[in-house]
Amino acid sequence: MRLARIRTDDGVVSGRYDDGVVTADGEEYEVGVDAELLAPCEPTALYCVGRNYAATVDQMDYDIPDQPDWFIKPPVSVLDPGADVEYPDWTDELTYAGELAAVIDRECSDVAEADVSDVVRGYTILNDLDALDQPGRTARKAFDGSGPLGPWIETDVEPSNVDMTTHVGGELRQEANTERMLFSPAEVVSFLSERYTFQPGDVISFGSPANPGLVEPGDDVEIWYEGVGTLTNRVVDGE
């Protein structure tokens, strides 16, 4: 099942997405006609794991971590599916990274790996934007609009063996499978839950496959995960 948040004349509502129509409280809304897709959740934080694919570690000349390596994006990082990514005027090296992400369903902490599926609402897609020329991870990654998210939450997907692609301007840039992760989604969620109390709607992303790369104004970034969907955003000149 796909769960979506939409903006309508009746306000923001959440419901079941099916073939372009969202059903909520007995009402039907057609996306693009009388509804606009929003990010599928409202996280208090986005917990993002890096260096989680061996090919990416090799490409970036990083050391292989012996435990999940993570950083945090704030809520202002969230950008709706289909919304424009404004290229910040303080960077010359903006990069994309197509990542699978879990959405937490209820407040929880100290979750065993075997119980992770009980606390995850479903899975969505994150574009982990990175201003690569800035000093330190927070400056690079934790800025307004740095986390396009969506297009919805898929509740029925097994995250450990999922194909993915990223196209930029129609060109294939990333192609991988989540089975190549160094730490599985269950391992990551369990590990981070030892350190944080997750809230409903919080997002945990599992890292980017190889070939994250630069984007320029005018580029459409399309990230597809099998069984989940496609997240698309266009990069535009910042104001």
Side-chain angles (χ1 to χ4, degrees):
M1 181 170 62
R2 290 175 171 174
L3 305 175
R5 287 177 67 245
I6 53 175
R7 181 180 289 113
T8 75
D9 291 341
D10 300 323
V12 175
V13 299
S14 299
R16 179 172 181 168
Y17 178 95
D18 185 20
D19 195 25
V21 175
V22 174
T23 303
D25 299 324
E27 298 289 335
E28 292 189 347
Y29 304 91
E30 186 175 352
V31 174
V33 177
D34 49 15
E36 175 188 0
L37 278 176
L38 301 176
C41 55
E42 296 180 279
T44 66
L46 297 89
Y47 302 90
C48 303
V49 169
R51 310 181 187 189
N52 199 27
Y53 284 80
T56 309
V57 171
D58 289 344
Q59 181 185 31
M60 304 301 287
D61 197 25
Y62 293 143
D63 293 330
I64 294 178
D66 57 8
Q67 65 181 30
D69 174 63
W70 81 97
F71 55 93
I72 297 175
K73 289 179 183 274
V76 294
S77 298
V78 174
L79 190 70
D80 297 329
D84 288 341
V85 173
E86 293 191 5
Y87 200 113
D89 60 8
W90 39 261
T91 180
D92 294 317
E93 295 185 38
L94 186 66
T95 67
Y96 64 85
E99 305 189 4
L100 185 68
V103 179
I104 297 297
D105 193 44
R106 60 179 173 84
E107 183 177 310
C108 59
S109 61
D110 294 316
V111 181
E113 286 184 37
D115 298 329
V116 165
S117 62
D118 295 335
V119 303
V120 169
R121 186 180 307 165
Y123 293 86
T124 190
I125 300 168
L126 173 74
N127 185 357
D128 174 25
L129 296 174
D130 185 339
L132 199 62
D133 55 358
Q134 299 303 296
R137 261 186 173 169
T138 298
R140 286 170 44 194
K141 293 174 171 288
F143 55 90
D144 285 7
S146 63
L149 188 70
W152 42 66
I153 300 168
E154 174 56 65
T155 64
D156 185 21
V157 63
E158 168 47 57
S160 62
N161 185 14
V162 173
D163 287 331
M164 69 81 63
T165 59
T166 299
H167 287 80
V168 177
E171 177 186 353
L172 180 64
R173 296 282 187 88
Q174 293 182 298
E175 186 173 21
N177 186 288
T178 58
E179 68 180 358
R180 301 176 192 172
M181 290 180 180
L182 300 174
F183 302 99
S184 72
E187 287 177 291
V188 169
V189 173
S190 178
F191 174 84
L192 291 177
S193 75
E194 297 173 1
R195 291 154 175 80
Y196 303 100
T197 299
F198 296 138
Q199 300 300 316
D202 282 354
V203 170
I204 303 167
S205 72
F206 305 113
S208 172
N211 299 320
L214 295 172
V215 290
E216 299 292 342
D219 285 341
D220 288 316
V221 183
E222 299 178 326
I223 303 167
W224 168 79
Y225 272 85
E226 178 186 12
V228 180
T230 302
L231 173 65
T232 302
N233 298 86
R234 168 164 283 196
V235 183
V236 300
D237 282 311
E239 297 181 356

